[in-house]
Amino acid sequence: MMEISELKIKLIDELKLEFENPMISPFAFDWEKGVDLLFEVVRCAGGFEPFKEALEKLLNSTDFNALSGFMTYLERYLTFVGRFIGEIQSEEELTLLPILKRLKLHSKSYPKLSRTELPKYIDKPECLSHFCRAYCTRNEVDHCKKDSQSLLPPWANRRVEFVQNASSVLVVMVYATLKHYDALRQTIENQKIKHPDVNSYLVDLIDDFKRWERIFVSIRGAEKIELYAREEFDEQDRRLREDTIDHLRREFPRLMISGDAGMGKTTTLQYLAYEDALRCQKEAEQNLPFYLDLKSLATGNLTLISKIFDELRRFPVEFVETRLQKGKINLFLDGLNELGAQVGSVEKQIQDLIERYPDVPLLLSSRNSHRFNISKTERMPVFGLNKMRTHQIEDFLSKMALPAANEVIRAEMAVDEVFADWLRVPMLLKMIIEVVEDRQKNPEYQDDPIPENTNELKDSFIDRLYQREGERDSRFSKITFDALTTHFATRLFEKKKSNTAITRDETIRILTEKVKSGFPNADLDYFLRVSTEIGILMVHKNTYSFTNEQYLDFYRAKGMPDDEEDEFDFT
């Protein structure tokens, strides 16, 4: 399939000689804008992909079936134009000649459109020969469609005549667009305000999720882990509720999920936003998903509501405001606890958001519980993510681990309760699969591939990332990379007390401290690029933070004095 830009270029090349001939065309100097607008009209009218496919076949073939398949778009497109400019009513179904008359495309000076009259119209103004040829071609193709026993038109097997007929059909469509250009442009702009195209936004959101899946600390794990959550507060003397997050959000349009680092809060929110985007692509009336990493509010001066409008600035402000008021945007706000000293301010902004848009669905995540009022008498329910259950762990191992690793991990689970408890944290479960599979290839660990504790597990996993990058790039230095990352974690926590995003300039200042204290040859641009590629750090709009709090904690612990490190809780 050709890209849209390629298809436009090919169409322009096909029609160039006709529209740049001042003898027949009144649009000799700026006609190419009609091609761009034609594509916009079709997109607004609907059925863009079938039209694109049919046009591509026509431009790349001299087969009669390609022209026959495209011909249906001639009348349909001109009808769209007529309806867009108010010359044809929505309930009217007209044939080609009445449509041409309504659009003022039929010259009264030459009323007869037939093959016998065609020679008279060559080189006449207003592309008259093309209108005549397109009209005759439409009738001949239509006759063949209605009577399957009829012979093909004589020109069907004559390449030059076939190309002329196909070109005339396309000329008429572009000519009609140019003839009513201003009215069409105004109608489309009005349509964009009321019903903007959301598909490109959905495609970007889906691509972002897939890109995040690929780089997220290089953990293999396309298999979805369906996490359960249990209500944390019982204010009405009833049994605490429990279910999957996806089911809970359907019962409670506004809720918070809490859980320790690595429990899957970010993964859950991003995955649900991704699923909503796929659903919205299929059903236009579905709510538009919007995911926001709240730590992006730590830099800049935008409030939460302003940030939402800024991130959705591809759409008209009126469109976003109306959707929020009607509860037609699903908000996924991730990582309230990662805002450090700004948590209190953002808590108030979330409460303001709830009060201003009381119908908007909201799923909020945080490492700690926070309470928000969703009405004068009701608080937002808070659900704590449950650790994975044994059957979920076993199911995941069966699907994602190689048989040898699956066997060893299950055997260790059966005899070591502490080890089994590690695996109830989704991120650690994914890590253990990768580490055990890797160690089983190494003679040193073949007899005992299970790490002694979570500290060793994370260390082995990170070391594996380093080794993989060193094999790929000879410039990579494990010692330098580890020292810079450890220093960044230590100083980030000292400054922000959480995994808060900071600007690139602030990140460089912190890293430069380490460069000056013993790593003079370190290339910081290279470090930041590689650290984001392998998923240790993440970058969003020129701000940096750790991909997950687990990695902030891990590197921060490496920077502690030995007596403090021994007491650090790695689980």
Side-chain angles (χ1 to χ4, degrees):
M1 292 287 288
M2 297 174 67
E3 296 292 331
I4 294 174
S5 57
E6 296 174 319
L7 201 54
K8 287 182 180 179
I9 291 170
K10 194 166 183 66
L11 180 56
I12 287 169
D13 288 342
E14 181 75 23
L15 305 182
K16 188 179 181 71
L17 290 178
E18 309 306 322
F19 276 104
E20 293 187 359
N21 179 358
M23 188 180 296
I24 67 170
S25 170
F27 310 108
F29 300 106
D30 59 351
W31 70 275
E32 291 182 14
K33 68 182 183 182
V35 172
D36 289 326
L37 187 57
L38 183 148
F39 278 77
E40 288 192 61
V41 171
V42 175
R43 195 184 290 279
C44 281
F48 181 77
E49 288 302 321
F51 166 81
K52 177 174 171 284
E53 184 178 346
L55 177 60
E56 183 176 340
K57 287 180 180 177
L58 181 61
L59 292 174
N60 290 301
S61 173
T62 55
D63 178 61
F64 179 79
N65 290 328
L67 179 55
S68 175
F70 184 80
M71 190 56 68
T72 182
Y73 289 102
L74 176 61
E75 280 174 63
R76 194 185 306 177
Y77 178 75
L78 295 178
T79 299
F80 289 152
V81 171
R83 287 175 181 165
F84 277 24
I85 65 173
E87 292 295 335
I88 298 176
Q89 301 305 309
S90 58
E91 67 277 3
E92 288 186 287
E93 296 291 339
L94 305 178
T95 55
L96 183 57
L97 191 57
I99 294 172
L100 295 176
K101 289 179 178 179
R102 291 282 187 93
L103 298 181
K104 301 177 177 60
L105 299 173
H106 180 246
S107 174
K108 295 180 180 179
S109 303
Y110 303 94
K112 193 172 182 181
L113 300 177
S114 67
R115 293 280 180 190
T116 56
E117 296 293 313
L118 180 58
K120 298 179 183 178
Y121 302 152
I122 303 298
D123 292 335
K124 296 298 181 182
E126 298 183 334
C127 295
L128 186 58
S129 63
H130 290 291
F131 280 92
C132 181
R133 192 181 289 113
Y135 180 78
C136 295
T137 300
R138 178 263 180 203
N139 289 341
E140 290 154 359
V141 169
D142 194 50
H143 179 69
C144 288
K145 286 182 177 179
K146 291 177 179 178
D147 183 0
S148 59
Q149 302 299 316
S150 65
L151 297 175
L152 295 180
W155 50 263
N157 296 312
R158 299 172 188 161
R159 180 180 174 80
V160 173
E161 291 182 52
F162 178 94
V163 171
Q164 287 178 334
N165 289 328
S167 294
S168 290
V169 170
L170 298 171
V171 165
V172 169
M173 295 172 73
V174 176
Y175 188 100
T177 309
L178 290 164
K179 177 86 172 178
H180 301 285
Y181 185 90
D182 291 340
L184 286 172
R185 170 57 63 199
Q186 186 60 52
T187 299
I188 287 175
E189 292 305 317
N190 293 339
Q191 287 267 12
K192 284 181 177 178
I193 293 175
K194 294 179 182 177
H195 307 287
D197 175 32
V198 301
N199 190 61
S200 61
Y201 167 77
L202 295 173
V203 168
D204 288 347
L205 193 152
I206 290 167
D207 288 346
D208 284 347
F209 176 79
K210 291 179 177 177
R211 192 179 306 112
W212 177 84
E213 265 195 322
R214 287 196 301 271
I215 69 170
F216 184 64
V217 278
S218 301
I219 290 178
R220 186 183 73 242
E223 179 67 24
K224 177 187 175 185
I225 300 176
E226 185 115 68
L227 296 174
Y228 283 73
R230 190 168 190 265
E231 197 168 14
E232 294 190 349
F233 302 98
D234 181 4
E235 297 176 341
Q236 299 179 2
D237 193 25
R238 50 164 168 66
R239 185 173 61 85
L240 295 173
R241 296 163 289 195
E242 181 177 9
D243 208 332
T244 65
I245 304 300
D246 199 22
H247 287 162
L248 287 170
R249 71 174 179 138
R250 299 178 195 285
E251 184 178 354
F252 309 103
R254 290 167 296 283
L255 66 97
M256 166 179 276
I257 60 171
S258 66
D260 293 333
M263 278 298 298
K265 300 183 297 295
T266 294
T267 303
T268 297
L269 265 62
Q270 289 192 333
Y271 188 84
L272 291 175
Y274 164 75
E275 281 198 323
D276 284 358
L278 294 177
R279 198 175 293 116
C280 198
Q281 280 188 322
K282 295 176 182 176
E283 303 171 42
E285 294 307 309
Q286 292 288 331
N287 281 15
L288 201 66
F290 174 76
Y291 172 86
L292 180 66
D293 187 343
L294 287 173
K295 63 174 173 271
S296 64
L297 294 171
T299 58
N301 300 314
L302 294 178
T303 63
L304 174 59
I305 292 176
S306 298
K307 182 71 171 177
I308 292 171
F309 277 86
D310 183 62
E311 293 286 330
L312 295 174
R313 61 185 175 277
R314 69 175 73 193
F315 303 121
V317 171
E318 299 93 328
F319 172 80
V320 178
E321 177 68 27
T322 300
R323 282 246 172 178
L324 288 170
Q325 291 285 1
K326 293 182 176 180
K328 296 296 291 180
I329 296 180
N330 291 342
L331 298 180
F332 300 90
L333 306 182
D334 186 26
L336 178 58
N337 62 287
E338 297 186 8
L339 282 157
Q342 293 175 270
V343 167
S345 171
V346 175
E347 277 184 320
K348 184 178 184 306
Q349 293 172 38
I350 293 171
Q351 188 64 59
D352 291 344
L353 172 76
I354 293 169
E355 293 172 5
R356 179 168 169 178
Y357 304 110
D359 294 325
V360 72
L362 169 63
L363 182 55
L364 180 65
S365 82
S366 178
R367 196 166 181 173
N368 310 306
S369 300
H370 302 260
R371 307 311 310 272
F372 295 97
N373 296 319
I374 54 178
S375 72
K376 290 183 179 179
T377 59
E378 187 180 4
R379 286 195 168 190
M380 181 188 291
V382 180
F383 291 84
L385 286 174
N386 293 341
K387 289 189 174 183
M388 292 179 69
R389 298 164 182 178
T390 301
H391 73 87
Q392 289 179 297
I393 296 171
E394 292 174 346
D395 184 54
F396 190 82
L397 286 170
S398 298
K399 292 177 179 177
M400 299 308 298
L402 295 175
N406 182 13
E407 182 180 348
V408 168
I409 294 170
R410 282 176 182 247
E412 189 71 17
M413 286 175 61
V415 299
D416 189 338
E417 290 183 7
V418 174
F419 174 75
D421 197 50
W422 301 355
L423 305 191
R424 301 188 191 284
V425 176
M427 193 169 185
L428 298 184
L429 172 60
K430 293 180 179 181
M431 278 186 178
I432 197 71
I433 293 173
E434 296 270 330
V435 169
V436 169
E437 287 181 352
D438 191 59
R439 285 186 170 190
Q440 286 180 325
K441 301 172 189 174
N442 187 336
E444 181 183 349
Y445 294 105
Q446 277 183 346
D447 293 335
D448 186 17
I450 303 293
E452 290 290 329
N453 50 49
T454 53
N455 187 19
E456 183 186 335
L457 169 61
K458 295 175 187 177
D459 201 43
S460 297
F461 184 80
I462 297 296
D463 193 62
R464 187 168 168 275
L465 292 182
Y466 291 165
Q467 183 179 350
R468 197 182 287 171
E469 188 62 25
E471 291 170 355
R472 191 186 69 83
D473 188 344
S474 60
R475 294 179 298 167
F476 183 82
S477 166
K478 171 184 173 179
I479 295 173
T480 301
F481 194 93
D482 202 58
L484 290 174
T485 312
T486 299
H487 182 73
F488 180 66
T490 303
R491 296 287 286 123
L492 177 64
F493 193 82
E494 286 175 1
K495 287 174 172 285
K496 304 295 184 179
K497 303 302 180 187
S498 67
N499 187 29
T500 304
I502 60 175
T503 65
R504 179 183 173 85
D505 288 344
E506 196 172 356
T507 302
I508 292 292
R509 280 197 294 273
I510 289 174
L511 293 172
T512 301
E513 296 170 359
K514 194 64 177 176
V515 170
K516 291 179 178 179
S517 67
F519 294 88
N521 297 320
D523 182 340
L524 297 185
D525 289 331
Y526 171 78
F527 166 78
L528 290 174
R529 178 177 63 78
V530 172
S531 64
T532 55
E533 284 177 356
I534 66 176
I536 300 297
L537 300 183
M538 64 180 292
V539 58
H540 177 72
K541 296 192 174 179
N542 218 32
T543 64
Y544 288 84
S545 61
F546 281 87
T547 306
N548 189 283
E549 287 177 292
Q550 287 270 4
Y551 300 102
L552 171 65
D553 293 346
F554 172 76
Y555 281 104
R556 184 165 66 90
K558 293 183 75 169
M560 290 180 178
D562 289 342
D563 57 338
E564 291 184 41
E565 186 176 346
D566 290 339
E567 299 175 5
F568 192 80
D569 179 11
F570 288 98
T571 60

